[in-house]
Amino acid sequence: MMRTRPLKVALLGCGVVGSEVARIMTTHADDLAARIGAPVELAGVAVRRSSKLREGIPQELVTTDATALVKRGDIDVVVEVIGGIEPARSLITTAFEHGASVVSANKALLAQDGAALHAAAGQHGKDLYYEAAVAGAIPLIRPLRESLAGDKVNRVLGIVNGTTNFILDKMDSTGAGYQEALDEATALGYAEADPTADVEGFDAAAKAAILAGIAFHTRVRLDDVYREGMTEATAADFASARNMGCTIKLLAICERAEDGQSVTARVHPAMIPLSHPLASVRGAYNAVFVESDASGQLMFYGPGAGGAPTASAVLGDLVAVCRNRLSGTTGPGESAYTALPVSGMGEVVTRYHISLDVADKPGVLAQVATVFAEHGVSIDTVRQQGKDGEASLVVVTHRASDAALGGTVDALRKLDTVRGVASIMRVEGE
């Protein structure tokens, strides 16, 4: 039997995502009520400027006083889509203190202060849901923390930023340079006017921290995630990748160590074999590949950003939280029981593709091979091309630690026959 008194929702932010949340709540009101068991009512919308007219939202619901809105006491759920650290953090904790559960899409805040927010939610017996924080419309957080709760996840490998995937895909498919591809992404609305958070990997690193924490039941903060951007990727890198039967993606990689005693989380560009499912992810789409003991390999794919896709994930969380509210329960909170340490990048083991500019004369290859051997790095393949006294030497290693590879490169730079290190890229997804 449906309850007639509505559950009241406060919306913090009414930009691209917030406006879509409000629209779906209005246009799908009957369906949402049937799925929840009670009607949901948009009780207030906090914005920066109240003078701007917002289609479909009564002006009397609009306020610039977000704190007063979350303190009202009659609010059942607060939906936070303003982003950033403050005032979002204070508003969320205030919402818990005044009896509301929270649905958030704030990846930066959750990556930095997720443990404190979960503790605040638990202290007040409220829910904190954030499916939309990682991969837009793609169901990912709920499968990891609920569907795979009985399994052991060993690796999460994914494309979690649509802007960078669009740029790299354009460079690969058309031969465009980085700046040309970025300009097109900006013109199409995929890249912000300041794309730093995307192209330098900050956005993906925040998502990696959230994924690693859930997958491995341990606390992983943004500062624990190794990060490299993709602005140095060149046409030559893509040519080398094609020669290896690979393409290049900006990947978020979260792994459990082979001995199970630590985890790592990292974001960087990497070559990935064309045979891997992630290699076929095109344009601004996202995909995440999960490897676990019992389930084996799973892939989650779909639009990872945008107003409507992200709002879809927000509304899914809203339905779950409202159902919990009606039944007097809460959903899963933080699971950090393993308390595993997060290892640094130096301990990560993977393959490497190294391109060297060398002198074109006898004995160079032997010198380079000796340096690799002295540092315990095994060579898989070597390709050399030379002309007019200069040569390019491309080395692909077997699996080696990042620390061992770093020592090898430092030693290579000291050789008189090595003119420079043109590029170094990891090879993932075997």
Side-chain angles (χ1 to χ4, degrees), residues 358-361 386-391 419:
V358 299
D360 186 16
K361 62 182 183 180
K387 184 179 180 181
D388 299 329
E390 298 297 327
R419 309 296 193 217

Side-chain angles (χ1 to χ4, degrees), residues 78-157:
V78 169
V79 175
E80 182 272 309
V81 288
I82 57 178
I85 305 303
E86 288 291 355
R89 175 171 48 197
S90 296
L91 291 170
I92 289 173
T93 54
T94 300
F96 291 142
E97 291 166 0
H98 287 79
S101 290
V102 173
V103 172
S104 176
N106 195 332
K107 54 187 171 288
L109 177 58
L110 289 158
Q112 178 172 306
D113 289 321
L117 294 178
H118 274 294
Q123 177 185 351
H124 296 285
K126 298 296 177 285
D127 274 322
L128 173 63
Y129 276 52
Y130 43 91
E131 184 67 66
V134 172
I138 304 171
L140 185 58
I141 289 178
R142 192 172 287 112
L144 279 174
R145 73 177 184 178
E146 295 181 34
S147 303
L148 296 176
D151 205 343
K152 178 184 178 184
V153 175
N154 296 309
R155 195 172 196 232
V156 179
L157 173 76

Side-chain angles (χ1 to χ4, degrees), residues 167 170-172 174-183 233-235 238:
I167 293 170
K170 187 62 63 173
M171 292 175 71
D172 187 25
T174 70
Y178 166 74
Q179 189 60 51
E180 182 183 354
L182 173 59
D183 290 344
T234 65
F238 279 98

Side-chain angles (χ1 to χ4, degrees), residues 383-398:
R383 187 176 72 255
Q384 184 174 4
Q385 293 179 322
K387 184 179 180 181
D388 299 329
E390 298 297 327
S392 173
L393 189 65
V394 175
V395 178
V396 180
T397 74
H398 287 290

Side-chain angles (χ1 to χ4, degrees), residues 62-74:
V62 178
T63 178
T64 57
D65 193 344
T67 301
L69 179 60
V70 299
K71 282 183 173 180
R72 273 178 35 176
D74 64 334

Side-chain angles (χ1 to χ4, degrees), residues 41-316:
E41 173 188 310
L42 189 59
V45 182
V47 297
R48 290 182 180 178
R49 296 185 300 275
S50 60
S51 58
K52 179 181 177 181
L53 293 177
R54 291 164 174 85
E55 185 178 354
I57 300 177
Q59 190 63 23
E60 62 268 21
L61 294 183
V62 178
T63 178
T64 57
D65 193 344
T67 301
L69 179 60
V70 299
K71 282 183 173 180
R72 273 178 35 176
D74 64 334
I75 300 297
D76 294 287
V77 184
V78 169
V79 175
E80 182 272 309
V81 288
I82 57 178
I85 305 303
E86 288 291 355
R89 175 171 48 197
S90 296
L91 291 170
I92 289 173
T93 54
T94 300
F96 291 142
E97 291 166 0
H98 287 79
S101 290
V102 173
V103 172
S104 176
N106 195 332
K107 54 187 171 288
L109 177 58
L110 289 158
Q112 178 172 306
D113 289 321
L117 294 178
H118 274 294
Q123 177 185 351
H124 296 285
K126 298 296 177 285
D127 274 322
L128 173 63
Y129 276 52
Y130 43 91
E131 184 67 66
V134 172
I138 304 171
L140 185 58
I141 289 178
R142 192 172 287 112
L144 279 174
R145 73 177 184 178
E146 295 181 34
S147 303
L148 296 176
D151 205 343
K152 178 184 178 184
V153 175
N154 296 309
R155 195 172 196 232
V156 179
L157 173 76
I159 299 164
V160 295
N161 182 277
T163 300
T164 55
N165 199 58
F166 178 89
I167 293 170
L168 292 172
D169 182 39
K170 187 62 63 173
M171 292 175 71
D172 187 25
S173 60
T174 70
Y178 166 74
Q179 189 60 51
E180 182 183 354
L182 173 59
D183 290 344
E184 183 173 350
T186 303
L188 292 172
Y190 293 132
E192 301 287 345
D194 179 1
T196 302
D198 294 322
V199 300
E200 294 296 349
F202 291 101
D203 175 84
K207 295 170 181 177
I210 295 169
L211 288 174
I214 296 170
F216 306 133
H217 302 277
T218 198
R219 287 179 178 169
V220 180
R221 299 181 73 251
L222 180 58
D223 292 345
D224 295 322
V225 181
Y226 174 85
R227 177 193 56 80
E228 285 180 25
M230 42 74 70
T231 57
E232 301 301 318
T234 65
D237 291 328
F238 279 98
S240 293
R242 283 191 290 273
N243 287 332
M244 291 177 59
C246 293
T247 188
I248 297 172
K249 300 291 187 182
L250 184 75
L251 298 177
I253 305 169
C254 312
E255 294 179 305
R256 189 188 299 268
E258 291 185 4
D259 64 5
Q261 299 305 303
S262 65
V263 299
T264 58
R266 50 195 165 107
V267 168
H268 53 71
M271 295 181 180
I272 189 167
L274 293 175
S275 58
H276 194 282
L278 291 179
S280 62
V281 178
R282 311 300 297 270
Y285 275 69
N286 284 190
V288 177
F289 201 71
V290 177
E291 301 175 8
S292 65
D293 277 359
S295 300
Q297 298 178 332
L298 305 169
M299 192 171 90
F300 301 83
Y301 169 84
T310 304
S312 171
V314 170
L315 268 294

Side-chain angles (χ1 to χ4, degrees), residues 21 43-44 111 269 271 277 287 317 324 333 344 359 364 366 385 408 413 421:
V21 170
M271 295 181 180
D317 279 350
N324 291 343
V364 174
Q385 293 179 322
T408 303
R413 288 193 170 104
V421 180

